[in-house]
Amino acid sequence: MAFSLAISSNCFSSTNIRRQDFVLPRSRLLLNSWLSSLSSRSFSFPTGSTVHKPRILAGGSLRCSLPSRPDYVPNRISDPNYVRIFDTTLRDGEQSPGATMTSNEKLVVARHLSRLGVDIIEAGFPASSPDDLDAVRSIAIEVGNHPIGDDGHIPVICGLARCNKRDIDAAWEAVRHAKKPRVHTFIATSEIHMKHKLRKTREEVVSIARDMVAYAKSLGCRDIEFSPEDAGRSDREFLYHLLAEVIKAGATTLNIPDTVGYTLPSEFGQLISDIKANTPGIENVIISTHCQNDLGLATANTLAGAYAGARQLEVTVNGIGERAGNASLEEVVIAMKCRQELLGGLCTGINTKHIVMASKMVAEYTGLHLQPHKAIVGANAFAHESGIHQDGMLKHKGTYEIISPEDIGLARANESGIVLGKLSGRHALRCRLLEFGYDIDGKELDDVFKRFKEVAEKKKRISDEDLEALISDEIFQPPVIWSLEELQATCGTLGLSTATVKLIASDGEERIACSIGTGPVDAAYKAIDSIVEVPAVLKEYALNAVTEGIDAIATTRVVISGDDSHTSTHALTGQAMHRTFSGSGAAMDVVVSSVRAYISALNKMLGFVSAMKASKETPKNISSSVE
């Protein structure tokens, strides 16, 4: 089944969406059971709230009644049914092993998150490293001041900080350049965390939380989010008291994290409901959710929190993040859209037609590729192989699809009728790329066209999957420090495997090396190491075929690590993390694909080292005070 990107309609821009064209989150059975019980629950919406029910249009399509995104006020939302989407892909998502992104990649992702319509972008943890501080500052300046889409939307730019002055200084320095800056600070509140991690009493934790929220406010920040880490396992009365204190100190958003993914949907929904009912001053702040996916319940818990009254939901693209990840943006948004009536008419400002592009961009930049059965954006999400299913689909798509692929920016057919081959020109290629959603020109188009011709000479027809692999290999790559010019490898049972590699440096210098190895890939990697001359350890290596057949394009993903100097501070534990760097490559030759991936990872690592050196040489304006 061929897939490609395309522009399509979107409920939140008041265009038509079909009722049958939606999909449920991956915790399908649990969520269905929970949704069925909502009518008997004690949850309630704020007094005087208006439930926005979708209007039924001609042909059975739905239109969201929300006319526009409410004006942003940190501690209040004028429409009681509007739910803010807080994306933490660039912070919590990047904590996934091997998911390190360069500053430029983070900026590109942030731009697309803005285009997607995310309300708040948590751009990073500025105190973790000078590089992260620079990345968050760049996002605040560029994305936090200029609208990307046609609706004029500018997202809030947020920086994470532990409850100490040094972290808060760094976060404020990074985000203060944005039109709408936010500092997000946190401290653990569960008994197990306070006793074994913080080694502090309840009174000490309350004092630190209150003082640090007040300190952030004293710096000039008027949008402060506070999170009681591991709230799901915290004592309720203590939680109410601490939250009341930080509200008085100046917090505008209270985020309730299920840090270890421990709660069930009924428990988490009740937690939000109880906090609303028992926390003094709660009417003056926004309640948020942050659900981890350790038990596969992050999406269900997030929806339970929204139904119980949370009006900010913290998510990541593709659900990436610590351990088993976070609530998935695409699952939460589409589930809310699909079951809008059952959820009381809740709406978001997400432009769903940009979901697939966001998913592909994050997958390529982080190197964390999706499992085929991933809900909404997985390769099999709209594939139908069963004869019964195929028969139903041919008769009526609504029999087995509750969401239209076009609604998330995915099209399965080439409407223009263009079939690409070796005789196709630049214009035909560019038209096809536009259907995918890639508007590229100039050198980028020249590079993709060159690779396209190389493959077209060997294959009679270029499939959508082939083209997507080539696009990813050219566009979603770090800045070039070394590039592959030529490669020759020999292998077999008659002798040692050898490889000769010619690389070109960014200054145009050509260097050639030859090496032997246990196989052609090992030999090529050793030759590259002798040219680049930086320590690198291969941590992961994965090779996949894009399509069926002996002439399929191969995609390779590798993860490498450098020396011990490549570290950053982990937000939750405070420990130094050794950075890893991922890279991807695509080619019909598996050795060439493997070499491209390795060079991509090396370029990312070398770019990170270069940025770190530049940061050390540039004076920073950050207070060194420590709580």
Side-chain angles (χ1 to χ4, degrees):
M1 183 70 69
F3 292 92
S4 67
L5 288 171
I7 295 176
S8 62
S9 60
N10 153 40
C11 171
F12 303 101
S13 60
S14 297
T15 51
N16 294 351
I17 295 285
R18 297 180 302 172
R19 176 73 177 101
Q20 70 268 26
D21 289 342
F22 298 114
V23 72
L24 291 175
R26 66 172 155 248
S27 303
R28 189 174 307 227
L29 296 177
L30 278 167
L31 184 59
N32 274 338
S33 175
W34 167 72
L35 286 171
S36 299
S37 68
L38 287 181
S39 58
S40 63
R41 298 297 306 279
S42 60
F43 302 150
S44 62
F45 290 101
T47 303
S49 66
T50 302
V51 175
H52 287 272
K53 290 189 177 180
R55 292 194 292 125
I56 305 297
L57 303 176
S61 60
L62 293 177
R63 176 173 289 172
C64 179
S65 62
L66 185 67
S68 62
R69 187 191 306 268
D71 291 337
Y72 183 77
V73 178
N75 66 334
R76 182 173 59 83
I77 302 175
S78 58
D79 187 327
N81 291 323
Y82 184 82
V83 179
R84 290 173 178 167
I85 297 298
F86 177 111
D87 185 275
T88 183
T89 302
L90 298 175
R91 200 280 300 170
D92 197 330
E94 207 207 2
Q95 290 177 192
S96 303
T100 302
M101 288 182 275
T102 65
S103 296
N104 184 63
E105 289 169 344
K106 291 178 185 177
L107 183 58
V108 173
V109 172
R111 288 197 190 105
H112 193 76
L113 292 175
S114 177
R115 182 177 292 108
L116 184 63
V118 165
D119 297 275
I120 302 101
I121 298 174
E122 188 167 53
F125 176 35
S128 67
S129 68
D131 180 65
D132 209 40
L133 190 149
D134 287 341
V136 177
R137 183 194 286 119
S138 296
I139 292 169
I141 293 171
E142 297 196 31
V143 181
N145 287 285
H146 308 289
I148 304 296
D150 298 330
D151 61 353
H153 168 59
I154 297 177
V156 174
I157 304 301
C158 177
L160 183 70
R162 293 165 296 186
C163 272
N164 66 64
K165 290 183 177 180
R166 178 182 174 276
D167 278 23
I168 293 172
D169 285 338
W172 179 240
E173 165 58 26
V175 303
R176 66 183 178 86
H177 307 279
K179 182 178 181 181
K180 294 179 284 190
R182 176 186 291 192
V183 169
H184 177 194
T185 189
F186 70 95
I187 192 169
T189 56
S190 66
E191 289 297 328
I192 190 170
H193 276 249
M194 289 188 291
K195 178 180 179 180
H196 297 287
K197 187 179 80 171
L198 298 181
R199 296 179 181 175
K200 294 185 183 297
T201 64
R202 291 187 174 189
E203 292 74 19
E204 288 175 316
V205 168
V206 172
S207 177
I208 292 171
R210 180 179 55 235
D211 292 349
M212 289 303 98
V213 169
Y215 179 71
K217 186 175 180 180
S218 73
L219 295 178
C221 183
R222 294 295 176 264
D223 192 355
I224 303 167
E225 178 172 334
F226 174 78
S227 293
E229 185 188 357
D230 204 19
R233 296 191 294 175
S234 298
D235 177 75
R236 293 291 175 86
E237 295 301 325
F238 171 60
L239 196 57
Y240 306 149
H241 170 61
L242 180 141
L243 294 177
E245 290 298 307
V246 297
I247 291 173
K248 288 189 287 186
T252 54
T253 298
L254 297 182
N255 178 49
I256 310 304
D258 183 22
T259 303
V260 292
Y262 182 69
T263 61
L264 298 179
S266 57
E267 290 178 298
F268 192 74
Q270 194 63 54
L271 173 61
I272 299 298
S273 186
D274 290 346
I275 287 173
K276 283 186 63 181
N278 296 286
T279 304
I282 197 68
E283 68 277 2
N284 299 316
V285 298
I286 303 298
I287 301 177
S288 176
T289 68
H290 183 113
C291 300
Q292 299 291 139
N293 202 41
D294 297 67
L295 296 178
L297 298 172
T299 293
N301 283 341
T302 299
L303 293 174
Y307 186 83
R311 288 300 177 265
Q312 176 181 289
L313 308 179
E314 304 202 356
V315 294
T316 61
V317 175
N318 296 339
I320 65 173
E322 285 274 6
R323 303 182 310 280
N326 292 270
S328 163
L329 180 149
E330 57 276 6
E331 293 177 12
V332 169
V333 169
I334 297 300
M336 287 178 65
K337 209 170 175 184
C338 177
R339 307 310 301 273
Q340 189 181 42
E341 294 170 88
L342 201 56
L343 289 170
L346 299 183
C347 282
T348 75
I350 295 298
N351 189 338
T352 59
K353 70 182 181 182
H354 297 301
I355 282 179
V356 166
M357 178 61 81
S359 173
K360 291 181 180 296
M361 184 178 292
V362 170
E364 290 298 333
Y365 281 158
T366 61
L368 301 177
H369 292 173
L370 298 174
Q371 70 269 32
H373 57 277
K374 169 71 172 66
I376 315 297
V377 291
N380 293 346
F382 298 98
H384 304 276
E385 187 168 337
S386 162
I388 296 175
H389 285 215
Q390 290 174 348
D391 178 65
M393 283 292 295
L394 290 171
K395 293 173 179 175
H396 192 285
K397 289 183 179 179
T399 55
Y400 288 102
E401 283 189 356
I402 55 174
I403 175 175
S404 169
E406 289 78 15
D407 292 334
I408 61 170
L410 184 67
R412 290 171 293 185
N414 178 10
E415 296 179 3
S416 65
I418 294 175
V419 177
L420 296 176
K422 66 179 183 179
L423 300 179
S424 300
R426 276 182 173 80
H427 181 69
L429 177 62
R430 188 167 189 274
C431 287
R432 193 73 183 99
L433 294 181
L434 284 171
E435 291 180 14
F436 277 72
Y438 299 98
D439 186 4
I440 64 174
D441 212 337
K443 187 179 184 304
E444 277 191 332
L445 180 60
D446 291 340
D447 291 341
V448 173
F449 184 69
K450 179 182 177 182
R451 294 285 304 282
F452 162 74
K453 280 293 191 180
E454 290 174 356
V455 175
E457 289 293 332
K458 301 174 183 178
K459 297 188 71 171
K460 291 182 178 181
R461 178 178 174 181
I462 307 298
S463 68
D464 288 348
E465 290 88 345
D466 293 330
L467 197 54
E468 288 238 46
L470 294 179
I471 294 168
S472 298
D473 197 35
E474 288 295 336
I475 295 178
F476 299 127
Q477 292 293 341
V480 175
I481 298 175
W482 291 97
S483 61
L484 176 65
E485 177 67 10
E486 293 176 359
L487 168 66
Q488 179 67 47
T490 61
C491 62
T493 59
L494 299 179
L496 291 173
S497 297
T498 63
T500 302
V501 178
K502 179 194 283 189
L503 300 184
I504 300 179
S506 54
D507 60 3
E509 178 189 0
E510 295 184 357
R511 298 191 62 181
I512 301 175
C514 182
S515 184
I516 59 174
T518 56
V521 174
D522 180 50
Y525 283 13
K526 287 177 178 176
I528 292 170
D529 288 340
S530 67
I531 293 174
V532 177
E533 295 180 332
V534 293
V537 178
L538 183 64
K539 296 286 189 179
E540 295 180 26
Y541 173 90
L543 181 69
N544 292 289
V546 173
T547 57
E548 298 177 353
I550 197 67
D551 60 351
I553 288 181
T555 60
T556 307
R557 176 182 179 262
V558 301
V559 176
I560 65 171
S561 64
D563 57 35
D564 293 341
S565 65
H566 304 153
T567 61
S568 61
T569 303
H570 192 284
L572 299 183
T573 65
Q575 297 178 337
M577 299 187 302
H578 294 294
R579 292 233 180 194
T580 56
F581 306 88
S582 64
S584 60
M588 293 183 69
D589 187 304
V590 295
V591 182
V592 175
S593 172
S594 301
V595 167
R596 287 185 182 278
Y598 191 57
I599 293 172
S600 173
L602 286 171
N603 282 337
K604 186 177 288 189
M605 184 175 72
L606 293 171
F608 174 79
V609 173
S610 177
M612 290 292 289
K613 289 180 179 177
S615 297
K616 291 177 181 178
E617 294 169 0
T618 305
K620 300 298 176 191
N621 227 355
I622 303 174
S623 167
S624 61
S625 58
V626 179
E627 157 62 13

